[in-house]
Amino acid sequence: MCNTRALGLLLVSALVVLHCGVIAQVSAQGSNATSRWQTLTGDPPFVVARGGFSGIFPDSSFVAYRLTLITSAPSVILWCDVQLTKDEAGICFPDLKLDNASNIAQVFKTQQKNYLVNGVPTPGWFSIDYTLNDLSNIILNQGVYSRTDKFDGNGFQILTVQDMARQIKPPGLWLNIQHDAFYAQHNLSMRSFVLSVSRSVVVNYISSPDVNFLRSIAARFRPSMTKLVFRFLGKSEIEPTTNQTYGSLLKNLTFIKTFASGILVPKDYIWPVDESLYLLPHTTIVLDAHKERLEVFASNFANDIPISFNYSYDPLTEYLSFIDNGDFSVDGVLSDFPLTPSAAVDCFAHHGKNASKSANLLVISKNGASGDYPSCTNLAYQKAISDGVDFIDCPVQMSKDGVPFCLSFINLINSTNAAQSKFNSITTTIPEIMAGSGIFSFSLIWDEIQTLIPQISNPYFKFKLFRNPKNKNAGKFMKLSDFLEMAKNANSLSGVLISIELTLIFIFLYYLQNAVYLAEKQGMSVTDSVIEALGNAGYNNQTALKVMIQSTDSSVLMKLREKNNYELVYKVEENIRDALNQTIADIKKFADSVVLSKESVYPQNSAFITGATDIVQRLQSFKLPVYVETFRNEFVSQAWDFFSDPTVEINSYYEGAGIDGVITEFPMTAARYRRNRCLKRGDKTPPYMNPVQPGGLFPLITPEYLPPAEAPNPILTEADVTEPPLPPVTPVPSTSPSNGSAAPATQPNGQPKVATGIFLSTMAMLLITLLLL
């Protein structure tokens, strides 16, 4: 039941959609032969793809199953939820009701029925009312509403079990029988179907939450050929045969062993979480089951659902906690995104922080590890250093009394409780800095700023994705001098990256005006202060730490070029698609490297990559290294092409686009990526570590669902990078500050004693944009 349109789309998918290069047939078992696996057999755990790659394409569709084989471990097992039709055909479909993941409600509009399911009246469209022929024109859709529906309507038909086995030829096949009792009530026998299909199809695993069903077929299958797996549902749910809760049955694994060779449990049976979504200590269920010689499979894995905050929105970290925690390993995982556990097993398991780096990729933090702690606090920087970052960053702001300190944005409202504090009365509007009002760092003295409470950034709060709520106000802000001392004492760091930005008239111009405003209105010379701060901290007379200074303004970099030998970094603020040769030549005159946005490398439309530019290679041809920002772990921050996996995204920018560094709020993910053992394998690189093909998914969007065409990003011209010279510093007359604040300390030249520091972030711009939505 697979039409030619679906097959045609599959060919496009197989050839251009997903990964560049040759797909190496690397067995997970073979590649990890020397690893210490704590599975029952000592072999690497299996990856089971629930309905194929159902995180992207409609569950149980031909293309979802095929995509699994293209991107995952060669030993991957394909999962089929079996439903029975009126004429006793077995189909692969994710739910007892057909209307949640197909268009049957539109085709048979008046045929909704109401049946008892586990004693509960349930309305919907059910397979028992239709023959296989009736369902031949039914089209599979994405049944999870938070996932893209852009592929719906592509003609993906319902597959029978035999269709799937014959057309896909899975390395392993897993049949899940979820509703045996329901079908029996309607004179359909799931037992007869399973026994019949096993005569023509190799079935490796059969699972069911029904004790009676598994007992009824146990004698007909040899465990060496087909393993029976008892599936546990919610702990408080009742198993119909024994009339016990699944939680109670968990205590009697000896009984389970009489009819099954393994168990399938929700992942929170193994790693429970508290009400706040933080991990509790793991249970002993895996060890207990292994003592009974039962394999253990864990379910409910998906990259695009909230997971425990302990994992920092990184699905690969979650998989590793189940397969490489030092105490046990599950024997397999059931996932909607099989690429990610394939990489976890083959590339990242049993690799410590001291493993050698396989990727020459710089990892630069964005306000420290700001995905885990409030931006620019001591805890954010400590976490970034512990995670293995190369460069930590300090966006420097100035207090009223001339103390330079680290803060992600000049407006205190963005990252502190200033608006809810006693200082809300000093809210002002400064058009030269930003549209709207704010409480600015130079309006408070340092002692007052220290009374403010840091607030963690939540750039995706509108999706109800929040960061580390237990530590949302943790940490202390740091003076620049303390930050520089921390950097010098961190032996693992490669250096510091200082950013001098000029700030913003609305979004893209904001950082172009800050230094100008500080010079003309506050009497502060940012560039001179940077050099002084580095000198005072001893960075001029050492070679252990590299110093890079970044700005969006060429005049800043040109001025610094005259005074020191630091590496100067030019940040291109807007999304571009190219740059004129003369423009790049001009950049080369005042900069040694360039920072680009992610979309300048891979342009997007409606969260789909539409292609790739060659701007990275063009800049590198002028010997300008390229760093790209901002990388985040939250799945909504990534294009669909990256499969809701931040490691896939990083790999595609590094291996696909050839960038030299990433700027990230979650440095642990990027630092771990560099240590994975699947890089530099040449034509033996496994499919899950090949970069995605830019623009590969976009052609598969259903024509009627195509987003409106967007104008291409502009080309960077000479006028874009040419800036007027910095204005001279205008001394500010000393005045008595209000509220007992001290006047800014001045130097002999009349300038406040200030410094700017490590890497002024543009994350503030993104945060403002989100807050204004």
Side-chain angles (χ1 to χ4, degrees), residues 307-320:
I307 55 179
S308 170
F309 291 113
N310 298 77
Y311 301 130
S312 299
Y313 287 100
D314 187 340
L316 200 150
T317 300
E318 181 181 37
Y319 286 112
L320 290 174

Side-chain angles (χ1 to χ4, degrees), residues 346-515:
D346 194 24
C347 306
F348 293 94
H350 308 128
H351 249 39
K353 285 188 175 182
N354 295 325
S356 59
K357 297 176 183 177
S358 300
N360 186 24
L361 179 73
L362 282 182
V363 178
I364 305 165
S365 72
K366 187 80 165 181
N367 305 326
S370 54
D372 295 299
Y373 291 98
S375 299
C376 302
T377 59
N378 59 331
L379 296 181
Y381 292 127
Q382 289 168 11
K383 179 67 162 59
I385 294 170
S386 173
D387 287 342
V389 73
D390 294 310
F391 288 80
I392 54 173
D393 63 297
C394 170
V396 172
Q397 310 300 341
M398 296 304 304
S399 67
K400 188 173 183 178
D401 53 344
V403 176
F405 67 100
C406 303
L407 191 71
S408 58
F409 195 54
I410 196 171
N411 183 3
L412 294 166
I413 293 176
N414 288 61
S415 55
T416 76
N417 70 329
Q420 293 78 43
S421 73
K422 63 182 180 180
F423 304 114
N424 62 359
S425 60
I426 62 172
T427 300
T428 57
T429 300
I430 304 178
E432 297 97 324
I433 292 182
M434 60 175 286
S437 59
I439 302 173
F440 298 98
S441 65
F442 48 78
S443 299
L444 278 67
I445 65 171
W446 174 241
D447 286 346
E448 292 171 331
I449 289 170
Q450 285 183 295
T451 67
L452 298 176
I453 299 173
Q455 294 183 342
I456 200 167
S457 63
N458 288 299
Y460 302 107
F461 68 92
K462 69 178 182 180
F463 297 102
K464 300 189 183 303
L465 297 178
F466 299 95
R467 293 177 171 177
N468 200 4
K470 281 188 177 180
N471 290 291
K472 64 182 179 180
N473 302 123
K476 298 293 184 182
F477 295 124
M478 301 181 70
K479 291 191 293 185
L480 176 59
S481 57
D482 295 333
F483 171 83
L484 292 174
E485 190 65 23
M486 173 187 283
K488 287 182 69 175
N489 292 332
N491 295 329
S492 61
L493 289 179
S494 299
V496 292
L497 175 58
I498 298 175
S499 178
I500 306 173
E501 305 299 349
L502 297 180
T503 313
L504 184 115
I505 290 201
F506 210 60
I507 305 300
F508 290 123
L509 298 179
Y510 184 71
Y511 287 127
L512 298 178
Q513 302 300 322
N514 215 18

Side-chain angles (χ1 to χ4, degrees), residues 517-539:
Y517 178 84
L518 291 174
E520 293 183 337
K521 302 298 177 66
Q522 298 295 322
M524 301 177 181
S525 174
V526 180
T527 52
D528 291 344
S529 299
V530 166
I531 303 304
E532 180 182 0
L534 287 169
N536 291 341
Y539 279 78

